[in-house]
Amino acid sequence: MSAALAPGPLARALRAGVVLYVVALVAVPLATLVEVGLADGPAAFFGRIGAPTARAALWLTTWTALLVGALNVVLGTATAWVLVRYRLPGRALLSALVDLPLAIPTLVAGVMLALLYGPTALAGRALSALGVEVVFARPGIVLALLFVTLPFVVRAVEPLLAEIDPAEEEAAIVLGAGPVQTFRTVFLPAILPAALSGGIRSVGRALGEFGSIVVIAGNVPGRTLTAPVFVFGEIESGEPGAAAATSIGLLALALALHAVAWAVERRTGARRAE
Amino acid sequence: MNIRVEHLSKRFGTFEAVRDVTFEVRSGSLVALLGPSGSGKSTILRILAGLDTPDAGAVWLGDEDATRVHARARAIGFVFQHYALFRHLTVEDNVSFGLDVRGVPKPEARRRARELLALVGLGGLERRFPSQLSGGQRQRVALARALAPEPKLLLLDEPFGAVDAKVREELREWLRRLHDEVGVTSIFVTHDQDEAFSVADRVLVIHRGGLEQSGTPAQILDEPATEFVARFVGEVNVLDARVEGATARAGALRAEVPTGGPEGDVHLVVRSYDLKLWRDDAGVATVERVVTLGDRVRVHATVDGAGAIVAQFPRRSSLLRGVEPGARVAVEVTSARAYGSSSSM
Amino acid sequence: MRSDARAPAASSTGARAGRVALVILVLLYLGVVLIGPLGALGGELADVGVGAALGALGREDALAALRMTVVLTAIAVAVNAVVGTAGAIAIVRHRFRGRALLSALADLPLAVSPVVIGLAFLALVGRDGVLAPWLDALGVRVVFAFPGLVVAVLFVTLPYTIREVAYVLEEIGTSEEEAAVTLGASAWQTFWRVTLPNVRVALGYGLLMTMARSLGEFGAVLVLGGSISGQTQTATTFIHDAIEERELAPAYGMAALLAAISVLLLAALEWAKGRRARAAEKEADR
């Protein structure tokens, strides 16, 4: 840091204002939530978080989030691969569409999914005939989460794929590597950290998702009630204790993931997409 | 403006970037700070500009102690290593920036910018953006920008470091001419000895944050004050030797050294072009390799009892007749300097 | 170099079949998750009739909800323009105690569920919240009132400008700012003439993200605002309530309107991204 750019009194005052703003906006409320959630003692806390409905909601949220993260790593990488390496008609449009979930309200995403997969809609009826229910069922949750997390892995992997020197790939082919071997030796090491980091961020985003799930999955306890929707229900019905306990559970999960993602990014310098 | 730097020191954490450096720069001269990378020369330049503050010591600009004066008030032009042109401004707006922020009326600032751009040979490029210029052109814009507010001192950090070899050659010539024309006291930092010697009036050799030697290019080349300077400038041979009186012996090799230097065990430093060797079956060395480099030839040989040496000759030198791998050769040292072998490197 | 697709030189029948299969898989995936639902909304709108849907938006409560969303978005943009720039400069350029904390806190809203954020503010400033006695004494109502909505939107939009601007500040480095200072510019002049122009694309990008996020925020504004029609209802909570009440025309109309705005924002985002990529390429040429 150069001495000539050292902040003056005005810059320091502005900085103090920003720090105050961020602490008041983020740290104070979350600290209050944790304090209130633990106020009745650990026994009460674990009693609430361990109650069947809360536990089922947390478990449903956790496994759907992890599943979506894993699906993203595979399908997101495949999407990035196709977008970067194949000359598809409409590729530019497709690439722009991938960013759409960043801009579209998640509630609207839920509405869209319900319109396509609802019991009266075309796709919904067809799936129903096959015995697959989407709306107000678990597949709906997974679909909604896939929608809102779609860009994370694609956007993390895309630039790395584009940067790989074609000579490396050609060298592998010249050395007699098959397509699978070439992918494993040339591409995988380059993109895996970014794909994982994108996957972890998908999980984090999925843990907290609310708007789209409310619309498409509803709130059937034990079946489609996710943790955020459960928290909302408890707030509505005047049970702040259970809501706070479950929220702390969600916060803990999110923070752990955040830390993992941060560590992966630091190690690999991968740039995230949002 | 005379510049005086007194006992300047600066550390970054535990790293001593600058150690007790004192020197003076006469008004109107062009001085090079020469040293390997990481030697602290850029830090000295940044302290002069006020971009860094020294932990100890003083910077005098003319009669003013400027040590605590803010960079913006020092009236020093600074040319950054990678130019640091304002990428969102046109060439002309870059050059007039220093005038605009001082409240010089726009037409006046523009006139002056155009004048300077003409001076550096960039007339007609006023409306371009930095990204549309070549490296050499950017360098000239950076210089014009630094000169616009009529600084009393111009500082240049590795001014030719980021352009390719051919452009560098031209820019050196050009900077020298420009300096003679504008006459502003200038200090530039470089790790390239050719650059320092071909452009500067005086050269300050910096090593590990300290000033090793200051002098004219000829003084630095002919009378290196320390072993570091001797080794840093030019291609040299360093041999373990013993000095008695004015004679140094390294194995079978003998050399005259200036009297008054260290005696006993020394490091004998001999430039590759201060060695002569010729075919002589009774000689003291064996040729290992002969390498042709354009108009020069480099001969690698092993001196009995003293180890490997390298000598340089003009391509067509008659001395080279019969000099080939395996041949025995006689060796004559035309000039050498001895440094106490305990002296730190 | 996103624009030039590289197909592998060697090509056997097996490899081609693999490529076709991969393309089909990806198109299927995008179709099921993204494009299909997007089309479904368009189709539904056509069924209901664009006129009817838009007409339904002319209702007093729909207009009030839209107005509220626009006001909240404007506030979020104004506040984050200042906080994002100042915060990013503090994080990247200043050295002070609490810098790492500031950076971590600024990122935190990305990791927290909107509902949890809502609950956290309820715990702080809600009817039984920690600060309730003071707020009551002052006669200020936050929850189920306009301030609650503002707080919710400010929380969820905090990271975007700070992150984008900080990233660019880091990349650009300090030499242009130092150059400005050696040329005699004051700190204020350096900021307006050098720093701000250098980050303006990133700031714009962050503000577009801020707009998208505040237009679409649902969970936190539902919890903190309560979606009181004509008072604290926003565009998203309006859709939610309309669906609950089976008023599908206004729900789809509003959803389509928000989706259309999102597409416009996305186009602007893509444009900003393109500008930044071009700027980076120019830099790389240097």
Side-chain angles (χ1 to χ4, degrees):
Chain A
M1 191 61 214
S2 100
L5 298 178
L10 179 66
R12 281 205 298 271
L14 200 57
R15 177 178 84 203
V18 169
V19 172
L20 215 62
Y21 171 82
V22 172
V23 167
L25 190 66
V26 180
V28 172
L30 289 176
T32 310
L33 173 69
V34 173
E35 201 246 302
V36 167
L38 300 176
D40 299 337
F45 171 77
F46 285 111
R48 285 164 182 157
I49 212 170
T53 315
R55 207 174 53 200
L58 276 170
W59 173 235
L60 178 64
T61 288
T62 306
W63 76 253
T64 50
L66 288 174
L67 173 66
V68 164
L71 283 173
N72 261 309
V73 169
V74 176
L75 294 170
T77 303
T79 304
W81 182 272
V82 168
L83 286 180
V84 171
R85 296 177 54 90
Y86 298 162
R87 208 174 271 283
L88 288 183
R91 195 176 51 142
L93 181 68
L94 218 53
S95 175
L97 272 181
V98 167
D99 277 337
L100 193 63
L102 294 179
I104 223 155
T106 65
L107 184 80
V108 174
V111 171
M112 288 175 175
L113 287 166
L115 283 175
L116 183 61
Y117 298 107
T120 59
L122 199 67
R125 276 206 306 272
L127 288 171
S128 255
L130 296 171
V132 180
E133 294 298 329
V134 174
V135 170
F136 298 126
R138 286 168 180 179
I141 297 176
V142 174
L143 267 180
L145 296 181
L146 280 177
F147 183 102
V148 299
T149 59
L150 179 67
F152 292 96
V153 173
V154 182
R155 284 295 171 252
V157 170
E158 221 181 355
L160 296 177
L161 270 184
E163 266 170 28
I164 290 174
D165 185 356
E168 272 187 64
E169 183 185 2
E170 282 158 12
I173 294 168
V174 168
L175 291 170
V180 175
Q181 253 179 316
T182 306
F183 181 79
R184 270 222 339 252
T185 54
V186 176
F187 293 102
L188 205 56
I191 60 175
L192 190 64
L196 285 182
S197 149
I200 292 167
R201 292 196 159 254
S202 307
V203 177
R205 181 77 173 74
L207 284 175
E209 179 51 25
F210 176 66
S212 59
I213 293 183
V214 163
V215 179
I216 196 169
N219 51 6
V220 187
R223 276 187 19 97
T224 65
L225 183 64
T226 65
V229 182
F230 172 73
V231 171
F232 178 70
E234 295 302 289
I235 297 171
E236 291 283 275
S237 50
E239 295 283 350
T246 310
S247 294
I248 291 170
L250 272 177
L251 272 181
L253 284 172
L255 286 184
L257 262 166
H258 204 60
V260 172
W262 185 74
V264 168
E265 266 167 27
R266 250 180 98 90
R267 268 241 313 266
T268 61
R271 175 106 159 94
R272 59 257 175 216
E274 78 251 69
Chain B
M1 182 169 63
N2 281 313
I3 315 299
R4 208 160 79 245
V5 164
E6 290 171 348
H7 304 296
L8 216 56
S9 291
K10 172 79 177 172
R11 6 169 104 250
F12 296 106
T14 58
F15 175 64
E16 276 192 287
V18 179
R19 286 189 300 188
D20 195 25
V21 167
T22 300
F23 63 83
E24 212 174 322
V25 172
R26 208 135 3 104
S27 185
S29 58
L30 176 54
V31 171
L33 290 180
L34 172 66
S37 60
S39 59
K41 54 195 192 304
S42 286
T43 305
I44 297 173
L45 206 68
R46 289 175 59 85
I47 292 173
L48 281 171
L51 293 172
D52 278 326
T53 40
D55 298 332
V59 174
W60 290 79
L61 303 177
D63 299 328
E64 184 195 13
D65 179 357
T67 318
R68 299 288 149 200
V69 174
H70 194 276
R72 104 173 44 94
R74 287 194 188 191
I76 287 177
F78 199 104
V79 177
F80 289 78
Q81 189 172 1
H82 297 285
Y83 324 125
L85 295 178
F86 305 126
R87 62 194 86 190
H88 63 287
L89 296 180
T90 61
V91 164
E92 182 181 290
D93 290 343
N94 261 283
V95 176
S96 66
F97 184 94
L99 304 169
D100 293 338
V101 296
R102 286 183 168 81
V104 173
K106 199 77 197 168
E108 164 71 21
R110 182 163 307 163
R111 195 186 52 73
R112 176 100 179 106
R114 287 179 181 259
E115 238 172 62
L116 275 162
L117 283 169
L119 176 72
V120 300
L122 292 178
L125 299 183
E126 290 84 358
R127 309 309 307 163
R128 298 268 188 99
F129 282 90
S131 56
Q132 299 166 316
L133 301 180
S134 73
Q137 289 172 329
R138 286 174 194 167
Q139 175 65 52
R140 291 162 185 235
V141 175
L143 204 74
R145 182 178 72 176
L147 289 173
E150 296 182 344
K152 284 180 261 161
L153 172 63
L154 182 65
L155 304 176
L156 306 101
D157 191 0
E158 295 278 4
F160 314 118
V163 291
D164 49 46
K166 204 165 147 16
V167 180
R168 197 177 309 161
E169 201 75 34
E170 290 168 20
L171 278 174
R172 277 183 203 163
E173 292 282 316
W174 172 77
L175 177 69
R176 181 69 235 186
R177 281 204 310 274
L178 188 78
H179 176 266
D180 295 343
E181 203 168 318
V182 180
V184 58
T185 313
S186 306
I187 303 175
F188 71 99
V189 153
T190 180
H191 64 273
D192 181 337
Q193 35 166 317
D194 291 345
E195 202 159 290
F197 295 141
S198 63
V199 177
D201 303 325
R202 290 183 73 79
V203 176
L204 309 181
V205 183
I206 311 289
H207 176 49
R208 287 189 183 154
L211 178 63
E212 292 275 327
Q213 185 175 6
S214 85
T216 63
Q219 282 171 334
I220 304 274
L221 276 169
D222 297 340
E223 301 155 35
T226 66
E227 185 178 342
F228 171 77
V229 177
R231 293 171 82 134
F232 187 66
V233 296
E235 187 184 30
V236 294
N237 298 286
V238 181
L239 302 167
D240 288 323
R242 251 194 101 69
V243 171
E244 275 160 27
T247 307
R249 285 171 201 279
L253 199 66
R254 292 177 48 147
E256 301 295 309
V257 291
T259 48
E263 301 233 352
D265 289 334
V266 297
H267 286 163
L268 190 69
V269 179
V270 187
R271 293 190 196 290
S272 59
Y273 53 76
D274 287 335
L275 275 174
K276 268 189 195 148
L277 47 82
W278 60 91
R279 179 77 191 247
D280 180 351
D281 289 337
V284 296
T286 308
V287 174
E288 305 287 344
R289 272 188 310 138
V290 179
V291 182
T292 306
L293 301 157
D295 59 344
R296 317 279 310 161
V297 170
R298 191 178 284 163
V299 179
H300 296 257
T302 307
V303 178
D304 298 343
I309 55 166
V310 180
Q312 270 199 57
F313 297 88
R315 174 83 183 271
R316 307 266 179 234
S317 170
S318 57
L319 288 173
L320 283 168
R321 204 166 302 133
V323 172
E324 55 195 33
R328 291 291 286 177
V329 288
V331 181
E332 185 190 323
V333 178
T334 52
S335 168
R337 298 184 75 83
Y339 299 93
S341 56
S342 58
S343 78
S344 76
M345 256 312 295
Chain C
M1 285 288 128
R2 186 170 303 163
S3 54
D4 61 62
R6 300 202 208 96
S11 171
S12 65
T13 342
R16 169 169 301 166
R19 284 218 299 279
V20 170
L22 189 62
V23 170
I24 290 174
L25 173 76
V26 166
L27 289 180
L28 206 63
Y29 166 57
L30 293 180
V32 166
V33 172
L34 186 64
I35 300 166
L38 211 59
L41 182 63
E44 194 66 24
L45 209 60
D47 271 6
V48 176
V50 176
L54 287 181
L57 291 184
R59 282 170 24 182
E60 194 51 46
D61 56 346
L63 284 178
L66 263 177
R67 243 190 331 262
M68 178 58 79
T69 291
V70 169
V71 168
L72 289 174
T73 303
I75 290 174
V77 166
V79 171
N80 281 304
V82 177
V83 170
T85 310
I89 289 175
I91 288 171
V92 178
R93 295 279 192 262
H94 293 188
R95 293 292 171 266
F96 61 103
R97 268 185 306 148
R99 191 172 71 100
L101 181 76
L102 177 63
S103 172
L105 285 180
D107 257 355
L108 199 54
L110 291 174
V112 181
S113 174
V115 184
V116 173
I117 294 156
L119 181 64
F121 278 106
L122 281 186
L124 185 66
V125 293
R127 208 177 316 142
D128 305 317
V130 174
L131 296 183
W134 284 277
L135 292 174
D136 287 347
L138 291 169
V140 180
R141 234 179 105 189
V142 177
V143 171
F144 300 147
F146 183 64
L149 296 178
V150 172
V151 163
V153 168
L154 288 182
F155 183 100
V156 297
T157 56
L158 175 67
Y160 299 105
T161 47
I162 292 195
R163 285 171 51 141
E164 295 298 332
V165 175
Y167 182 77
V168 170
L169 279 177
E170 192 92 58
E171 278 209 319
I172 284 184
T174 54
S175 60
E176 283 182 49
E177 289 163 21
E178 287 182 343
V181 171
T182 62
L183 290 167
S186 66
W188 191 243
Q189 284 171 324
T190 304
F191 171 74
W192 284 103
R193 290 171 181 246
V194 177
T195 313
L196 193 59
N198 273 338
V199 301
R200 67 185 166 194
V201 174
L203 182 61
Y205 190 88
L207 289 177
L208 286 170
M209 291 296 297
T210 299
M211 284 172 80
R213 193 74 174 83
S214 49
L215 281 174
E217 179 45 33
F218 171 62
V221 295
L222 181 60
V223 173
L224 282 175
S227 191
I228 304 165
S229 176
Q231 287 179 39
T232 61
Q233 202 169 47
T234 65
T236 48
T237 56
F238 174 86
I239 297 172
H240 179 248
D241 293 354
I243 291 175
E244 299 265 286
E245 287 152 25
R246 306 251 153 242
E247 295 192 54
L248 296 185
Y252 296 154
M254 188 69 92
L257 180 64
L258 287 187
I261 295 172
S262 311
V263 170
L264 287 182
L265 283 175
L266 182 71
L269 282 168
E270 293 293 318
W271 176 80
K273 224 159 71 172
R275 279 206 48 166
R276 208 195 288 179
R278 278 199 299 282
E281 253 168 55
K282 274 188 197 163
E283 274 314 294
D285 287 347
R286 282 186 147 192

